[in-house]
Amino acid sequence: MKTIVHPPKDTWRNLAERPVMENRELENRVREIMLNVKEGGDKMLLNYRSRFDRCDDGQLVVPAEDIRNAEKKVSRELKDAIHLASGNIEKFHSAQRPEDLTVTTMAGVVCSRKAVPVERVGLYVPGGTAPLFSTVLMLAVPARLAGCSEVIICTPPGKDGKVHPAILYAASISGVTSVYSAGGAHAIAAMTFGTETIRAADKLFGPGNQYVTMAKQLASMWGTPIDLPAGPSEVAIIADRSTRPEFVSADILSQAEHGEDSQVILTVTDENILPAIYSSLEEQVRHLPRRREIEGSLKNSLSLVFENRELLMEFINLYAPEHLIISSSDYRDLSSQVRNAGSVFLGSYTPESVGDYASGTNHTLPTNGFAKAWSGVSLESFMKKITFQEVSSSGLPLLGNATGIMADAEDLAAHKLAVDVRLEYIKKSFEKPWEPSIH
Amino acid sequence: MKTIVHPPKDTWRNLAERPVMENRELENRVREIMLNVKEGGDKMLLNYRSRFDRCDDGQLVVPAEDIRNAEKKVSRELKDAIHLASGNIEKFHSAQRPEDLTVTTMAGVVCSRKAVPVERVGLYVPGGTAPLFSTVLMLAVPARLAGCSEVIICTPPGKDGKVHPAILYAASISGVTSVYSAGGAHAIAAMTFGTETIRAADKLFGPGNQYVTMAKQLASMWGTPIDLPAGPSEVAIIADRSTRPEFVSADILSQAEHGEDSQVILTVTDENILPAIYSSLEEQVRHLPRRREIEGSLKNSLSLVFENRELLMEFINLYAPEHLIISSSDYRDLSSQVRNAGSVFLGSYTPESVGDYASGTNHTLPTNGFAKAWSGVSLESFMKKITFQEVSSSGLPLLGNATGIMADAEDLAAHKLAVDVRLEYIKKSFEKPWEPSIH
């Protein structure tokens, strides 16, 4: 890790910048795959599945029996841990249910709003060396709580041509309705456009490699919303003398092991605490696998020493980290100053890994500075809000008059007419008895 | 308007489909404009401004004096109407403030969430023949309520090279911080990437023509979030014998006058009410300007007669209209069945135009079927939510154990290590007194 002491402000923007990811070639390849699946349906999807997922069994649908049997293939210990995590996620996300609201904005004018589940959601669960069952919990548990009527998963088959039992087990306990064995951009295309087997989803969720990420970006551009634009994972850590160096170094490593493109920004005001953290880092890394990922990631990582806490917090808010660990006994004051971050880990006993799995918060978070305007996945990500308005015959005259004046000023005569025909009718009704219908 | 009686279900998808808008040529042109502004800053922006906005004065920034003086150029009557609308919008959007929440998910594990304003928002206000000051209210009022620290507007200069006073007046009363006189894709590029004069915004809002829409789609793909993907405006109307034909026909026209690409879907179960609506339509249209827009739009529009209400509501939810007018005395029962819509207008005295301007709901709504997964603009559109977690030394053992088991199963050893170093320390602390720091 490179250490920079008292970085001048005009260098901050550079320090906070993530690598730019515009890649026209990738975009064009993914676009072609997606449009081919749109056109060719299942046949094209299976075609790409044998090419990219290296699976020729033609079996897109994971049989219900495999899902039921997954339970037997997962250790008792892991099942218990999954249940603990799922329970915490359920508790925190249940509390997020938006309340319906009703407001009388003026006499005779009632505006209201209610939250309604998105009906069909498509979850992407990456494959690779390790089965990311935690992603299943983080997406499917809130989807079920929101009341989505269809929750489908696409996930690539493993080397044995099967979806990993831990993924199937997590899916079975979180109310997933179907699991499809397909990964990559072609799977995202299937969920975006629908095929004979896979119905189109109304919204897409989940992490993935660069093909999946690009496919989700294109899906979003074409109108299917996505949870979040994705980038490599990252953490910012605030550390001071009140924490222990081996806590900080282990937090650095747990971010770094995600991959060479992960980034760690360690921020301190006291330069003297760095040597103990670095030496603990060296000691800990020796016992870990994934040293290639860790070494690559630490090359992208930085320790920044600031003159004071105000500057430190200003930089943190400019960087807008996906994860922010405040490893300090003074975490209350510091956390009250956070304006841009995905999820914040408070105090010395809250490593990021508890939030990655089990504390109850969601681990699907805005990377790449997106925390400036995006929230992480929540119950609301699986719902939308519909507004209603109801104007009574006594409310319309005042509101309608203002509406007419504004419509006139915007040159929209029929907008005014829609008010006027009603006002005229109301006026006439005063003069003669109400006719419920003229037909 | 074409009438279809009892459309068979296998035709519904087609009936509900909006024209596909993929346009590679447009995309490439807009991409070029945006990347040029990214590269060339103000100079390139001014270049495009003289080419597309036909304004050569080089004055991007609307002077504060012009904004102050706008008040004098707007009629008393219009100012009153704007204040009435702004007051209602403020009342309804204030009620949308998300509550912070704190949940103890298990002993010693506290998860919380708070909503924080997006700092810098960029609003696009279209120019054209009429000044869309209503758009200013719908976007700037919630932005101010949310607490955004910078609210900027880009809007093209009119034929006289000036921004319309009604837009400036609406901006001045809703807390807008700067107004820039520039429109089109180049203005969106400026707000996305920033120039010497215009700071980059964290999120973009507002309607626009096809160039603006495409520019926002590209901005969104590159990571700057947008309010909504845009499409032509549309309304679905449910009408029955309890309403008056001239109300329905005026509602149809007020949608149709938006432009030739607008769409109206009138749905009924009683075919016999259609003739009176059609003849009222013919009568009303004679007195309206914008007949080209109306005739064009009515060509894209449909009356659908369903066998019963259940089928009618099923179709409405498939269509997912931006606006839904339930012109029926039975609007309570019908509105309870709405699952996909942007904003709903209840009963005979609630024309869409009151919601377009003044009832208090937002008029920035999901078109194009996006209401299946998107909500209209709300206070929350100008905020993001940050989660926090705090684990105590007594909470970590149980949570940390589950975390370690799951991290192990996902092959993330350092994630487990971050828990283990803490658990070890806690265990040791039982044996000897706490050391606040080892440095």
Side-chain angles (χ1 to χ4, degrees):
Chain A
M1 284 176 87
K2 200 175 153 193
T3 307
I4 302 176
V5 179
H6 301 178
K9 270 211 179 176
D10 58 8
T11 66
W12 284 20
R13 193 159 288 277
N14 259 335
L15 292 174
E17 218 152 66
R18 279 72 157 186
V20 180
M21 291 180 301
E22 236 238 313
N23 185 337
R24 288 303 294 275
E25 202 193 312
L26 176 69
E27 187 184 322
N28 289 334
R29 280 172 65 192
V30 170
R31 193 189 286 258
E32 191 196 322
I33 292 172
M34 291 184 79
L35 295 177
N36 283 343
V37 171
K38 184 183 181 182
E39 191 64 33
D42 276 347
K43 200 178 149 208
M44 192 54 83
L45 176 61
L46 285 168
N47 204 322
Y48 282 122
R49 184 171 177 266
S50 45
R51 204 159 121 206
F52 295 127
D53 298 332
R54 286 149 203 266
C55 191
D56 268 326
D57 61 10
Q59 253 206 318
L60 273 179
V61 183
V62 175
E65 205 193 323
D66 288 12
I67 300 179
R68 268 197 308 279
N69 288 338
E71 195 200 352
K72 295 174 201 149
K73 296 178 186 160
V74 178
S75 71
R76 178 79 266 160
E77 178 180 56
L78 182 55
K79 279 188 282 192
D80 287 346
I82 286 176
H83 279 276
L84 180 141
S86 151
N88 286 348
I89 295 167
E90 182 166 336
K91 265 181 226 157
F92 189 54
H93 287 74
S94 301
Q96 294 167 11
R97 192 169 297 283
E99 271 182 55
D100 293 348
L101 59 95
T102 300
V103 178
T104 299
T105 52
M106 57 191 280
V109 182
V110 178
C111 296
S112 59
R113 189 172 74 159
K114 75 173 176 186
V116 176
V118 175
E119 293 183 58
R120 282 195 291 283
V121 297
L123 317 182
Y124 187 83
V125 178
T129 49
L132 292 189
F133 55 85
S134 62
T135 299
V136 178
L137 299 180
M138 292 290 174
L139 299 176
V141 170
R144 172 172 50 80
L145 290 173
C148 302
S149 53
E150 252 184 72
V151 183
I152 67 168
I153 284 180
C154 279
T155 187
K159 276 189 187 143
D160 59 353
K162 297 279 181 191
V163 174
H164 195 283
I167 288 180
L168 296 180
Y169 181 67
S172 75
I173 66 159
S174 12
V176 168
T177 46
S178 312
V179 181
Y180 301 102
S181 158
H186 45 294
I188 298 295
M191 294 197 284
T192 304
F193 301 116
T195 68
E196 297 85 337
T197 303
I198 301 180
R199 279 180 78 185
D202 297 323
K203 189 167 182 177
L204 303 178
F205 294 80
N209 62 18
Q210 55 175 346
Y211 294 91
V212 169
T213 298
M214 178 54 78
K216 280 176 65 193
Q217 280 179 287
L218 287 169
S220 142
M221 198 177 74
W222 290 325
T224 300
I226 61 173
D227 48 357
L228 282 169
S233 190
E234 66 204 18
V235 69
I237 304 175
I238 303 172
D240 64 18
R241 283 194 171 273
S242 67
T243 197
R244 301 201 47 95
E246 72 267 30
F247 297 180
V248 179
S249 56
D251 288 343
I252 292 172
L253 291 167
S254 72
Q255 184 56 243
E257 74 176 341
H258 276 298
E260 295 176 57
D261 54 359
S262 295
Q263 192 184 42
V264 181
I265 304 271
L266 172 62
T267 63
V268 302
T269 53
D270 181 352
E271 195 179 344
N272 298 324
I273 68 169
L274 292 177
I277 293 170
Y278 292 158
S279 77
S280 168
L281 204 57
E282 272 177 45
E283 163 59 23
Q284 288 171 336
V285 78
R286 264 189 256 142
H287 311 286
L288 290 172
R290 293 190 181 252
R291 269 201 291 281
R292 195 172 48 82
E293 286 86 350
I294 290 173
E295 275 158 29
S297 164
L298 292 183
K299 270 186 209 137
N300 300 324
S301 297
L302 292 172
S303 296
L304 302 177
V305 183
F306 292 94
E307 286 93 322
N308 56 50
R309 270 197 183 182
E310 289 63 43
L311 286 171
L312 184 153
M313 286 309 303
E314 200 182 325
F315 181 83
I316 291 287
N317 284 317
L318 176 71
Y319 182 67
E322 178 191 15
H323 305 98
L324 172 64
I325 302 176
I326 306 185
S327 214
S328 158
S329 56
D330 205 15
Y331 58 85
R332 274 189 209 286
D333 178 51
L334 289 163
S335 72
S336 71
Q337 296 171 49
V338 175
R339 292 194 317 274
N340 298 320
S343 195
V344 186
F345 300 79
L346 301 172
S348 285
Y349 295 119
T350 317
E352 186 201 309
S353 46
V354 298
D356 289 342
Y357 289 105
S359 63
T361 60
N362 209 289
H363 77 193
T364 312
L365 295 166
T367 54
N368 203 26
F370 298 145
K372 287 175 187 164
W374 289 85
S375 316
V377 164
S378 71
L379 187 70
E380 286 110 316
S381 309
F382 298 90
M383 308 187 88
K384 72 264 182 179
K385 288 163 184 170
I386 305 177
T387 56
F388 298 83
Q389 49 251 287
E390 181 179 347
V391 183
S392 69
S393 59
S394 65
L396 192 61
L398 195 54
L399 178 67
N401 179 49
T403 299
I405 291 164
M406 288 192 280
D408 224 30
E410 287 191 359
D411 274 350
L412 293 170
H415 280 62
K416 186 172 184 309
L417 177 69
V419 171
D420 288 347
V421 290
R422 287 165 166 97
L423 289 179
E424 207 172 299
Y425 186 81
I426 292 170
K427 206 174 136 203
K428 271 194 286 177
S429 312
F430 268 106
E431 290 151 22
K432 55 177 186 168
W434 161 260
E435 296 168 50
S437 165
I438 62 146
H439 309 292
Chain B
M1 284 176 85
K2 200 176 152 193
T3 307
I4 302 176
V5 180
H6 300 176
K9 271 213 178 174
D10 58 8
T11 66
W12 284 20
R13 194 159 287 277
N14 259 335
L15 292 175
E17 218 151 66
R18 278 74 157 185
V20 180
M21 292 180 301
E22 237 239 311
N23 185 338
R24 288 302 293 274
E25 203 192 312
L26 175 70
E27 188 184 320
N28 288 335
R29 282 172 64 192
V30 170
R31 192 190 286 258
E32 191 196 322
I33 292 172
M34 293 184 79
L35 295 177
N36 283 344
V37 171
K38 183 182 180 185
E39 192 64 31
D42 277 347
K43 202 179 147 206
M44 193 53 84
L45 175 62
L46 285 167
N47 204 322
Y48 283 122
R49 183 171 177 266
S50 45
R51 202 161 123 204
F52 296 127
D53 298 332
R54 286 150 203 266
C55 192
D56 269 325
D57 62 9
Q59 254 207 316
L60 271 180
V61 183
V62 175
E65 206 192 324
D66 288 12
I67 300 178
R68 270 196 308 278
N69 287 338
E71 195 200 352
K72 296 173 199 150
K73 296 179 186 158
V74 178
S75 72
R76 179 78 265 160
E77 179 181 56
L78 182 55
K79 279 189 283 193
D80 287 347
I82 285 176
H83 279 277
L84 181 141
S86 152
N88 285 348
I89 295 166
E90 182 166 335
K91 265 181 227 157
F92 189 54
H93 288 74
S94 300
Q96 293 166 12
R97 193 169 298 282
E99 272 182 54
D100 293 348
L101 59 95
T102 300
V103 178
T104 300
T105 52
M106 57 191 280
V109 182
V110 178
C111 296
S112 59
R113 189 172 74 159
K114 77 173 175 184
V116 176
V118 175
E119 294 184 56
R120 282 195 293 280
V121 297
L123 317 183
Y124 187 84
V125 178
T129 51
L132 292 189
F133 55 85
S134 62
T135 299
V136 177
L137 299 179
M138 292 292 174
L139 299 175
V141 170
R144 173 174 47 82
L145 289 173
C148 302
S149 54
E150 252 185 72
V151 183
I152 67 169
I153 285 181
C154 277
T155 186
K159 276 187 188 146
D160 60 352
K162 297 279 182 193
V163 173
H164 195 284
I167 287 180
L168 296 181
Y169 180 67
S172 75
I173 67 159
S174 10
V176 168
T177 46
S178 312
V179 181
Y180 301 102
S181 158
H186 45 293
I188 298 294
M191 294 198 284
T192 305
F193 301 115
T195 69
E196 297 85 338
T197 303
I198 302 179
R199 279 181 79 185
D202 297 323
K203 190 168 181 177
L204 303 177
F205 295 80
N209 63 19
Q210 56 177 343
Y211 294 91
V212 169
T213 298
M214 178 55 78
K216 281 177 64 193
Q217 279 179 287
L218 287 169
S220 141
M221 197 175 76
W222 290 326
T224 300
I226 61 173
D227 48 357
L228 283 167
S233 189
E234 65 203 19
V235 69
I237 304 175
I238 303 172
D240 63 19
R241 284 192 171 274
S242 68
T243 198
R244 302 202 45 96
E246 73 268 28
F247 296 0
V248 179
S249 56
D251 288 343
I252 291 172
L253 291 167
S254 72
Q255 184 56 244
E257 74 176 341
H258 275 298
E260 296 176 55
D261 54 0
S262 294
Q263 192 183 44
V264 181
I265 303 273
L266 171 63
T267 62
V268 301
T269 54
D270 182 353
E271 194 179 344
N272 299 324
I273 70 170
L274 293 177
I277 294 170
Y278 291 157
S279 76
S280 168
L281 203 57
E282 272 176 46
E283 163 58 24
Q284 289 170 336
V285 79
R286 264 189 256 143
H287 312 284
L288 291 171
R290 294 192 180 250
R291 270 201 291 282
R292 194 173 48 83
E293 286 85 350
I294 290 173
E295 273 158 30
S297 165
L298 292 183
K299 270 186 208 137
N300 300 324
S301 298
L302 291 173
S303 297
L304 301 177
V305 183
F306 291 94
E307 286 93 324
N308 56 50
R309 271 195 182 183
E310 289 62 44
L311 286 172
L312 184 154
M313 286 309 303
E314 199 181 326
F315 181 83
I316 292 288
N317 283 318
L318 176 71
Y319 182 66
E322 179 191 13
H323 305 98
L324 172 63
I325 302 176
I326 307 186
S327 214
S328 158
S329 57
D330 205 17
Y331 59 84
R332 273 187 211 287
D333 177 52
L334 288 164
S335 72
S336 71
Q337 296 171 49
V338 175
R339 292 194 316 274
N340 297 321
S343 195
V344 186
F345 300 79
L346 300 173
S348 285
Y349 294 119
T350 317
E352 186 200 309
S353 45
V354 299
D356 289 341
Y357 289 105
S359 63
T361 60
N362 209 290
H363 78 192
T364 312
L365 296 167
T367 54
N368 203 27
F370 298 145
K372 287 176 188 164
W374 289 85
S375 316
V377 164
S378 70
L379 187 71
E380 286 111 314
S381 309
F382 298 89
M383 308 187 89
K384 71 265 183 180
K385 288 163 183 168
I386 305 177
T387 56
F388 297 83
Q389 50 249 289
E390 181 180 347
V391 182
S392 69
S393 59
S394 64
L396 192 61
L398 194 54
L399 179 66
N401 180 49
T403 299
I405 291 164
M406 289 191 280
D408 223 31
E410 288 191 357
D411 274 349
L412 293 170
H415 280 61
K416 185 170 185 307
L417 176 69
V419 170
D420 289 345
V421 289
R422 288 165 165 96
L423 289 178
E424 207 172 302
Y425 186 79
I426 292 169
K427 204 174 137 203
K428 271 195 286 178
S429 312
F430 269 106
E431 288 152 24
K432 56 179 184 167
W434 162 260
E435 296 168 51
S437 165
I438 61 145
H439 310 294

